[in-house]
Amino acid sequence: MIKSNEILTTVNPQLTGKNKVSLRRGKHKIFIGMSPGVGKTYRMLEEGKIIKQDGIDVVIGLLETHGREDTANKAMGLELIPRKNVILSHRSLTEMDTDAIIERQPQLVLIDELAHTNIPGSKFVKRYQDVEQILAAGIDVYSTVNIQHLESLNDLVFRISGIVVRERIPDSVIDEADEVVVVDVTPETLQERLKEGKIYAPEKIDQALNHFFKRRNLIALRELALREVADNVEESGCNGNKSDYCNIRERVLVCISTYPNSIRLLRRGARISNYMNAKLYALFVDNHNQFLSKEDSIHIETCERLCKEFHGEFIRVQSTNVLDTIVEVAQTQRITQIVIGETHRSRWQLFFKGSIIQRLMRSLPDIDIHIIATENQEREGGFIQ
C-alpha cells in the first residue's frame, strides 16, 4: 500500500514555475490474472479507493468496464481523466490522454489493459510505453494485464489455447514492476461467471466456453500466472539478504560426462523435473587438459540434443575444477536438485582425496543431491572422480 510519506520530491534548480518540482520515479503495481473476468480491474479499483481514503490523490487514467456493472459501480467516487479524441480515417476514436494525466499530477493513477495497442499515429505504439512516461513523471501507477500477453509466453499460450495473442508486452515490464499481484479464481468459478454473462455478451458465451475458456486451458493459464508471480518473488529475493532467501521453484541440474551413464542421468533428471514441474539443466565440465576423442564428442552432442528434447538448458563450461564449476553453476542458476553419477574412485583415492559428492554436500548444504548408481554393463568410470 502506498502511504503519503512515500511521495517524495526533489528540487531541480534548472526548472522554474509550475515545473519547478521534479518528482521521484513513480512506483508500478501490476494486477495480473489468467484471463479476462478474474477480477483484475475490480481489485485495482478497490485498492485505489482504499488508498484514496488514506488521503492520497487517486485518479482513473483509463478504465475498460466491458459492460460489467459491478466494475462500473466500483469506479464511482474516483475522478476519471477524460480520454482524448483521435481522428483516424474519418472516424472519431478515443485513447488515453497521457499528457492530461501528467499535467494533472495525481499521486496515483489507475490504468486498465496494459497490453493495449494504441491508435495508429499516437505518440507511443503500446499503452505500457505511456505508463513508462507517467512513471518517469513521478506518478505511481496501478495497471492490469493478463498472463497471455507476456511476450515470452506467446508460443506456449498458442499451444495451450490455439489462439494467437497479438497484443503483447515485453517481460521486462513485469520484471521491473515494484509489485506484481496475481488475481486468482478457480477455473470453475470463472466459467460460472462467464455463463452468468459477467464477462462477455450472451451471444459470445458458448463460443468462449468451447474455445479459450475450456477448463484445461484455464488450468494451464492459471498455473502460468501463479508461476510468473513466484518467479517475480524469487527475483526480488535474489536482490535482498541471501541468507534469508530460499527458492520457490524447483530447478534440476544433471552433471554429465563422457561416460555412457550420462544418458541414464539425463533421463532420470528429466523424470525428476517432470514430477516437480521444474526447469532442467545439464552441465558438462570440459577440461582442456583431457583430450576428447571423436566418440566422446559425439556422446556429448547426443547428451546436448537429448537435453533439448527434454526442454532443458545445456551448459558447457571449460574448467579444470569440476567441483568449483558445479558449485558456481548451481548457485548462479539457483538449482534445488542435483543428479550425479556414483563415484568410481578406489578406496585409496577416496582416502587421500575424498569424494566429490561429500564435498558437494558441504559446499551446497541446501541442495538435494541424487546419486545414481552405474549399471554393471557400463564401462568403468563416471562423472565423479
Side-chain angles (χ1 to χ4, degrees), residues 114 118 123-134:
L114 190 60
N118 291 331
K123 182 178 180 180
F124 298 109
V125 176
K126 307 289 291 188
R127 184 168 290 160
Y128 76 83
Q129 295 172 306
D130 289 286
V131 166
E132 176 62 30
Q133 186 178 30
I134 293 170

Side-chain angles (χ1 to χ4, degrees), residues 32 42 52 84 92 95 169 195 220 255 269 323 359 368 381:
I32 192 169
Y42 190 93
K52 182 178 175 64
K84 63 181 178 181
S92 179
E95 194 62 270
I169 62 172
K195 293 174 183 177
C255 300
L323 175 66
R359 288 182 285 160
D368 294 333

Side-chain angles (χ1 to χ4, degrees), residues 78-125:
L78 291 173
E79 178 186 344
L80 176 65
I81 303 295
R83 301 188 188 195
K84 63 181 178 181
N85 292 314
V86 179
I87 303 300
L88 180 67
S89 301
H90 307 292
R91 293 188 301 161
S92 179
L93 305 174
T94 61
E95 194 62 270
M96 183 174 74
D97 196 335
T98 302
D99 292 336
I101 293 171
I102 295 175
E103 178 70 19
R104 170 64 174 74
Q105 277 293 310
Q107 290 172 293
L108 171 65
V109 60
L110 313 181
I111 298 176
D112 220 356
E113 299 191 355
L114 190 60
H116 169 79
T117 301
N118 291 331
I119 297 171
S122 299
K123 182 178 180 180
F124 298 109
V125 176

Side-chain angles (χ1 to χ4, degrees), residues 28-41:
H28 191 191
K29 182 174 183 176
I30 300 177
F31 297 87
I32 192 169
M34 63 178 173
S35 73
V38 296
K40 302 178 302 298
T41 302

Side-chain angles (χ1 to χ4, degrees), residues 54-83:
D54 287 342
I56 303 300
D57 183 15
V58 183
V59 302
I60 298 174
L62 195 288
L63 176 65
E64 294 286 3
T65 65
H66 298 288
R68 297 165 192 160
E69 186 177 348
D70 290 345
T71 303
N73 291 337
K74 182 57 71 173
M76 294 179 64
L78 291 173
E79 178 186 344
L80 176 65
I81 303 295
R83 301 188 188 195

